[in-house]
Amino acid sequence: RQRLFMVKAVVSTQSTGHITNNLRCEPSNGNCMLIPGLRNLLAKVPPARFKIGSCISKTFLSENMSPPIVIQPQGTHKASVIFLHGLGDTCHGWAQVMGEELNIKHVKYICPTASTIPVTINMGMRMPAWYDITSLSEFDKEDKAGIMRSVAHVHALIAEEEKAVPSDKIFVGGFSQGGAVALYSGLTYKNKLGGIIGLSCYLPLNSEFPDVADSQNSETPIILCHGKADVVVDTRLGEMSHQKIKTFHPAVEMKLYENMGHSSCPHELMDVKQFLGSILGQSF
């Protein structure tokens, strides 16, 4: 079963030639090798539920974008969570978190990987990114075109899930840069969503709100989580985003975690799982 998965991984990633926390791929020969993190996930999640890009149309994939990892639900598919990784990461690490820490019966998890692009703040190095970042302090230089491309991609993923479950059973979330895209995507989606999750992130293009916010999601629950020791995306950016969203969206809560940097922790993941459970109800 692991060998079958590895063949699928080769097909999906041999053109990227990147190294992730879970999968090592060489573009010269297309060989891929699972690294312990993803191997552990496979041991816990039945192979029939763990697929790469299994339910996502190829029309949603831009150039240099690998297919998402999809963790199929236990039992009947009743809800979906779309979760976006941070700058320079891939979907594999957060797919492991979804499969192990946030796994809820009847919920399908979709973890896409961003296109590989040059990132100005990292000396122009090419890496998976949802948009270019010039500075985390000069918001007049935000990459609006890149942000909107990623938002369109997330909206397309949501629309695809609506073919199987109601929109108010679909959640969108992300970490860091992925969380920023998730916030913008969720607040501007045309149909009511189940909830929005933003971890260690900020609201991009914040001067456009509330004008661009869609009324369908004016009361959609939002949870923002941030470490008090975050020196990458300063905690103040998260708090400022929280205050901005509160001015036009009352259903937003923020949780802060002592001694947590730009990362995650068990307490945070427990809060996110409780957030999902409180909205989905006892049938899950």
Side-chain angles (χ1 to χ4, degrees):
R1 287 179 173 177
Q2 281 195 358
R3 182 174 299 176
L4 175 60
F5 174 85
M6 291 171 69
V7 169
K8 288 185 177 181
V10 169
V11 172
S12 301
T13 62
Q14 63 181 355
S15 62
T16 65
H18 62 264
I19 297 175
T20 75
N21 291 332
N22 304 296
L23 190 67
R24 187 182 301 274
C25 301
E26 298 297 335
S28 59
N29 55 22
N31 290 332
C32 293
M33 179 176 64
L34 287 173
I35 297 177
L38 201 53
R39 189 180 297 117
N40 293 340
L41 176 59
L42 283 174
K44 296 182 179 182
V45 178
R49 292 182 53 221
F50 195 91
K51 302 179 182 180
I52 293 185
S54 57
C55 298
I56 306 298
S57 169
K58 290 183 179 179
T59 59
F60 297 150
L61 302 178
S62 64
E63 186 177 0
N64 296 325
M65 182 177 285
S66 300
I69 284 182
V70 178
I71 301 178
Q72 300 292 352
Q74 301 177 53
T76 305
H77 180 198
K78 296 182 180 180
S80 296
V81 174
I82 299 167
F83 196 90
L84 282 62
H85 63 77
L87 176 65
D89 199 2
T90 69
C91 63
H92 299 95
W94 281 102
Q96 182 177 346
V97 173
M98 298 296 121
E100 294 179 356
E101 306 296 335
L102 299 181
N103 205 346
I104 299 174
K105 191 175 182 181
H106 303 303
V107 178
K108 173 183 174 183
Y109 297 90
I110 302 101
C111 298
T113 292
S115 298
T116 299
I117 62 171
V119 177
T120 302
I121 200 172
N122 286 340
M123 299 177 291
M125 293 178 60
R126 294 181 61 83
M127 61 188 65
W130 299 107
Y131 52 89
D132 188 25
I133 296 179
T134 301
S135 168
L136 284 175
S137 59
E138 300 177 67
F139 288 101
D140 59 328
K141 296 182 180 180
E142 287 184 279
D143 176 20
K144 181 173 181 177
I147 292 170
M148 297 313 297
R149 277 194 300 271
S150 290
V151 167
H153 177 66
V154 173
H155 283 177
L157 291 174
I158 297 172
E160 184 76 0
E161 290 307 298
E162 285 185 272
K163 297 176 182 178
V165 294
S167 66
D168 63 358
K169 293 294 186 289
I170 299 172
F171 297 77
V172 61
F175 173 80
S176 193
Q177 192 188 53
V181 172
L183 283 177
Y184 196 103
S185 300
L187 288 168
T188 59
Y189 194 63
K190 62 183 180 179
N191 297 327
K192 180 173 174 54
L193 298 174
I196 304 169
I197 303 162
L199 309 184
S200 303
C201 67
Y202 60 94
L203 179 65
L205 304 174
N206 64 79
S207 62
E208 297 186 356
F209 289 90
D211 294 348
V212 298
D214 195 288
S215 60
Q216 288 294 316
N217 283 292
S218 61
E219 297 181 357
T220 298
I222 300 175
I223 184 170
L224 302 175
C225 302
H226 219 113
K228 288 188 175 181
D230 194 336
V231 296
V232 178
V233 177
D234 195 289
T235 311
R236 290 174 298 175
L237 292 179
E239 292 176 316
M240 288 167 58
S241 295
H242 176 227
Q243 292 302 319
K244 172 70 175 184
I245 294 171
K246 278 180 65 176
T247 64
F248 64 91
H249 191 105
V252 58
E253 62 175 318
M254 185 167 196
K255 294 182 177 292
L256 299 175
Y257 304 89
E258 296 286 347
N259 304 316
M260 189 178 88
H262 195 60
S263 60
S264 187
C265 69
H267 188 182
E268 179 186 60
L269 295 177
M270 184 182 302
D271 286 339
V272 172
K273 189 169 186 177
Q274 289 177 348
F275 171 78
L276 292 169
S278 67
I279 296 169
L280 292 173
Q282 295 182 351
S283 62
F284 288 76

